[in-house]
Amino acid sequence: QIVSNESFDVPESVHLTDFPEADTKFISEYEKIIEEMSFVRQICEMGNSIRTQNQLKIRQPLSKLEVRSINEVIPVLSDWMKEIIKSELNVKNVLDVINITESADNIIQENMSLKVTIGLLTSITDELKEEGIVRDFVRLIQSLRKSRGFVQGEKIKIEFYSENLALKDIIV
């Protein structure tokens, strides 16, 4: 029985209602999203493969990922696709490019079946290194909070000591 005091035209039971009809217009407008998400997932897997091969933790931000697509369905990345890739791969910029130049710092990987090539710039500037250190530090604190039974939102006091002056400047 549906409990409602405000509406009198509700059925006696949800089990006695008709099954809703699919919105075919909505489905046709968004059917491409499955292909786009698969494309994004493959690019992220390729980028993570480059990170693993170069021993770069995902917590270490990188400056850019270049994407060259000759895929007929997805020739360029939309803004929302770029944002997902940036978040998943922890890169500052995702760029659609015509050509990618391989170098010691720009590692290329190609997916022939997907018709896409990526180039991940693996060089780490001082600023990116500092951001990576801060992320590691935050992860360490969160891990310690969890192991000590603190809950989200609960305030803690942290004392930090290091003889490394550069590290002190980054953390403090």
Side-chain angles (χ1 to χ4, degrees):
Q1 179 178 347
I2 296 177
V3 179
S4 174
N5 293 335
E6 298 170 15
S7 179
F8 294 103
D9 36 321
V10 292
E12 184 179 328
S13 170
V14 70
H15 300 96
L16 299 175
T17 62
D18 291 330
F19 196 76
E21 291 184 29
D23 184 346
T24 54
K25 182 182 176 199
F26 177 84
I27 292 171
S28 65
E29 287 178 11
Y30 292 97
E31 67 186 16
K32 188 178 173 187
I33 198 164
I34 294 170
E35 291 178 64
E36 292 172 334
M37 282 305 300
S38 177
F39 193 75
V40 167
R41 191 183 83 248
Q42 291 294 326
I43 289 172
C44 291
E45 286 177 9
M46 293 165 67
N48 280 324
S49 173
I50 293 172
R51 277 183 171 277
T52 301
Q53 292 167 4
N54 291 275
Q55 300 175 347
L56 294 167
K57 297 177 187 176
I58 196 69
R59 286 186 303 274
Q60 176 58 60
L62 298 174
S63 61
K64 88 177 161 182
L65 176 79
E66 297 175 322
V67 179
R68 178 182 178 267
S69 175
I70 54 171
N71 185 300
E72 296 85 18
V73 179
I74 308 164
V76 294
L77 299 173
S78 62
D79 288 342
W80 69 264
M81 294 167 78
K82 289 178 182 180
E83 289 303 314
I84 291 173
I85 294 167
K86 283 165 58 172
S87 175
E88 289 297 312
L89 290 179
N90 193 13
V91 293
K92 299 294 182 184
N93 295 297
V94 175
L95 307 170
D96 280 306
V97 296
I98 296 171
N99 293 310
I100 301 174
T101 304
E102 188 168 17
S103 68
D105 292 337
N106 198 34
I107 312 300
I108 291 179
Q109 193 169 98
E110 186 173 12
N111 183 318
M112 298 293 275
S113 62
L114 203 58
K115 297 181 180 178
V116 67
T117 303
I118 66 166
L120 184 62
L121 187 60
T122 58
S123 59
I124 301 170
T125 64
D126 289 342
E127 184 179 298
L128 291 172
K129 186 175 183 175
E130 288 177 7
E131 190 176 332
I133 290 169
V134 169
R135 284 178 181 242
D136 273 338
F137 187 73
V138 168
R139 183 201 55 80
L140 174 65
I141 290 172
Q142 296 296 12
S143 177
L144 289 171
R145 286 175 57 93
K146 184 176 181 180
S147 69
R148 300 267 161 62
F150 290 102
V151 295
Q152 187 174 0
E154 192 172 349
K155 293 188 179 190
I156 62 171
K157 181 179 179 182
I158 298 171
E159 291 186 28
F160 172 77
Y161 173 78
S162 176
E163 292 181 6
N164 183 327
L165 296 176
L167 184 61
K168 279 184 180 179
D169 288 342
I170 294 169
I171 300 299
V172 180

